[in-house]
């Protein structure tokens, strides 16, 4: 039984309906593996379908426990390297290389590559119960080949709430130590109401910084639908999202100096930032 108000549920259903029309499958939150942070069936089916030889070699190595071993290896690599790195650079398990997605071919000269690209699986899960510690849920999570890529907290202003309430949820009710919410496990977290959107790539409790994801300072009026509909009609459609993941998202490393109280010396520390482009940057 959902605790959503009718207007909130309608907003979710509207977004889900559009995503379904452009190629997303829909799954129930119970199909999500909370400890490994994957949709097991989607990920296993993707690898088996696109890389049968690699899967066969791993089955020979691991036997009847192959699925659990392979999924655990992938989840561990994402925890260490981040989801962007494993999507772009494969995962190696016992000397077997696994592709976790296929980006769009640069030309039409390789039909086999196009077939692999078309094999990518996009999935939307509503009210995802993500924690082993409680039954908190995130309004909507998008997956690529079983791997979580985007989370969204949605607010319909007809309920008296707006984007500020979404940001409050991420800052106060979403523990960044949870496996799903750790830095680089998901690419981006969106806060969305009927009119505006914001985003962050790192949850840090009260220190979480949100950046606007609007067309301009404010989103212009639209004849029909929601002002923020460009998010699911332009950005989150499969081809666009794949282009962003391949060409626009990047991890920035910076070396900062700080005073070490114990040694009384100036030390250096490297910090990482996951950069997701703002909407105007995607048009330039």
């Amino acid at each position: 039984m959902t605790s959503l108000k009718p207007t909130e549920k309608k907003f979710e259903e509207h977004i889900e309906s559009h995503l379904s029309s452009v190629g997303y499958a829909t799954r129930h939150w119970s199909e999500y593996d909370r400890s490994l942070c994957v949709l097991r069936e989607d990920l296993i089916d993707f690898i088996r379908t696109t890389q049968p030889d690699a899967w066969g070699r791993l089955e020979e190595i691991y036997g009847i426990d192959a699925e659990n071993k392979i999924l655990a290896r992938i989840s561990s690599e994402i925890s260490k390297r981040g989801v962007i790195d494993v999507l772009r650079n494969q995962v190696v398990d016992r000397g077997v290389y696994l592709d976790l997605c296929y980006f769009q071919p640069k030309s039409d000269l390789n039909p086999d590559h196009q077939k692999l690209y078309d094999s990518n699986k996009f999935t939307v899960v509503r009210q995802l119960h993500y924690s082993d510690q409680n039954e908190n849920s995130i309004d909507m999570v998008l997956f690529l080949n079983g791997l979580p890529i985007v989370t969204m907290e949605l607010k319909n202003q007809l309920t008296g709430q707006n984007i500020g309430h979404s940001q409050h949820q991420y800052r106060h009710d979403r523990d960044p130590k949870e496996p799903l919410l750790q830095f680089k496990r998901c690419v981006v977290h969106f806060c969305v109401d009927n009119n505006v959107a914001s985003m962050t790539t790192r949850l840090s409790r009260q220190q979480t910084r949100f950046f606007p994801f609007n067309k301009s300072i404010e989103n212009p009026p639209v004849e029909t639908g929601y002002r923020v509909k460009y998010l699911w009609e332009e950005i989150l459609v499969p081809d666009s999202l794949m282009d962003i993941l391949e060409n626009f998202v990047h991890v920035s490393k910076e070396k900062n100096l700080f005073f070490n109280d114990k040694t009384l010396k100036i030390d250096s520390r490297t910090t990482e930032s996951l950069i997701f482009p703002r909407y105007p940057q995607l048009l330039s």
Side-chain angles (χ1 to χ4, degrees), residues 245-257:
L245 294 176
E246 181 183 19
N247 299 308
F248 290 90
V249 176
H250 69 277
V251 177
S252 173
K253 296 184 179 182
E254 296 181 358
K255 186 169 288 189
N256 300 302
L257 300 179

Side-chain angles (χ1 to χ4, degrees), residues 105-114:
K106 306 305 180 185
S107 72
D108 298 329
L109 300 179
N110 191 338
D112 291 336
H113 191 164
Q114 182 64 46

Side-chain angles (χ1 to χ4, degrees), residues 26-214:
T26 298
R27 289 199 179 275
H28 190 265
W29 60 264
S30 61
E31 299 178 67
Y32 176 72
D33 188 311
R34 304 190 196 193
S35 59
L36 296 180
C37 300
V38 298
L39 291 173
R40 295 176 65 98
E41 186 175 332
D42 277 10
L43 181 51
I44 290 169
D45 184 62
F46 171 76
I47 298 173
R48 275 180 170 158
T49 300
T50 60
Q51 301 151 87
D53 291 342
W55 184 269
R57 291 198 297 274
L58 289 171
E59 279 190 316
E60 291 178 0
I61 294 170
Y62 289 126
I64 61 173
D65 204 29
E67 290 187 6
N68 290 329
K69 293 289 189 180
I70 295 167
L71 293 181
R73 174 65 177 175
I74 292 172
S75 181
S76 174
E77 285 295 288
I78 295 174
S79 294
K80 294 175 186 175
R81 297 159 48 193
V83 68
I84 284 295
D85 190 63
V86 301
L87 288 174
R88 292 174 177 171
N89 298 302
Q90 302 180 305
V91 164
V92 184
D93 190 355
R94 297 291 188 95
V96 179
Y97 287 78
L98 297 174
D99 292 306
L100 299 186
C101 81
Y102 293 100
F103 293 107
Q104 193 164 25
K106 306 305 180 185
S107 72
D108 298 329
L109 300 179
N110 191 338
D112 291 336
H113 191 164
Q114 182 64 46
K115 184 178 179 180
L116 289 171
Y117 175 73
D118 292 338
S119 298
N120 288 317
K121 295 176 176 292
F122 295 86
T123 306
V124 54
V125 178
R126 289 170 51 191
Q127 296 300 316
L128 181 77
H129 295 245
Y130 59 89
S131 176
D132 281 326
Q133 308 301 316
N134 54 60
E135 291 303 319
N136 289 347
S137 63
I138 295 176
D139 288 340
M140 190 168 286
V141 180
L142 307 184
F143 293 79
L144 169 59
N145 301 326
L147 305 179
I149 301 297
V150 176
T151 78
M152 294 190 285
E153 291 289 0
L154 310 172
K155 298 299 174 187
N156 191 325
Q157 277 136 310
L158 294 177
T159 66
Q161 295 190 318
N162 56 34
I163 192 175
H165 294 88
S166 297
Q167 294 174 353
H168 184 277
Q169 274 187 304
Y170 275 122
R171 286 187 173 120
H172 298 276
D173 302 330
R174 304 289 175 251
D175 185 353
K177 294 181 181 179
E178 288 280 358
L180 174 66
L181 302 178
Q182 291 174 8
F183 178 55
K184 297 194 296 184
R185 167 67 74 167
C186 279
V187 178
V188 63
H189 309 281
F190 282 111
C191 299
V192 187
D193 66 24
N194 303 160
N195 297 323
V196 294
S198 67
M199 67 172 186
T200 187
T201 58
R202 184 195 289 267
L203 297 179
S204 305
R205 291 290 194 183
Q206 288 87 341
Q207 285 72 46
T208 303
R209 296 179 63 194
F210 289 96
F211 300 93
F213 198 80
N214 301 320

Side-chain angles (χ1 to χ4, degrees), residues 190 199 209-215 230 235 244 248 275-284:
F190 282 111
M199 67 172 186
R209 296 179 63 194
F210 289 96
F211 300 93
F213 198 80
N214 301 320
K215 287 189 170 183
Y230 58 87
I235 303 302
I244 292 169
F248 290 90
I275 310 300
F276 191 92
R278 302 189 192 187
Y279 182 87
Q281 294 173 315
L282 295 171
L283 303 180
S284 60

